Amino acid sequence: MRYENEVKGKAKQVKGTAKTELGKLTADRDLESRGRMERAEGRVQEKVGRAKRKIGEAVEDLGDEIAS
């Protein structure tokens, strides 16, 4: 799947945001902290996925140019 890491990263960000907000509402600093960490991990995963996809697309484009 071409967008797998991007989608999983975005989902992790949403889940992290929910944990952060729930931690704030319940005054659970540990949950809030885990949520922030999960959001950060999700952002990294999404950016890595985007970079991999763009590199793959560039390689495909280069291959198409060479084949032409």
Side-chain angles (χ1 to χ4, degrees), residues 10-26 28 31-39:
K10 189 59 85 172
K12 194 176 276 191
Q13 289 177 60
V14 170
K15 191 173 160 186
T17 299
K19 284 182 181 180
T20 300
E21 294 305 314
L22 184 60
K24 286 179 183 177
L25 287 172
T26 60
D28 184 343
L31 182 61
E32 187 177 344
S33 177
R34 284 183 298 181
R36 285 192 177 123
M37 182 66 75
E38 195 163 347
R39 276 181 36 208

Side-chain angles (χ1 to χ4, degrees), residues 1-13 41-53:
M1 179 180 208
R2 183 172 236 161
Y3 299 98
E4 183 176 1
N5 277 326
E6 291 175 77
V7 171
K8 285 182 178 180
K10 189 59 85 172
K12 194 176 276 191
Q13 289 177 60
E41 290 171 0
R43 282 193 297 272
V44 169
Q45 184 174 6
E46 181 183 13
K47 288 179 182 181
V48 167
R50 186 177 309 131
K52 285 172 120 177
R53 179 177 49 84

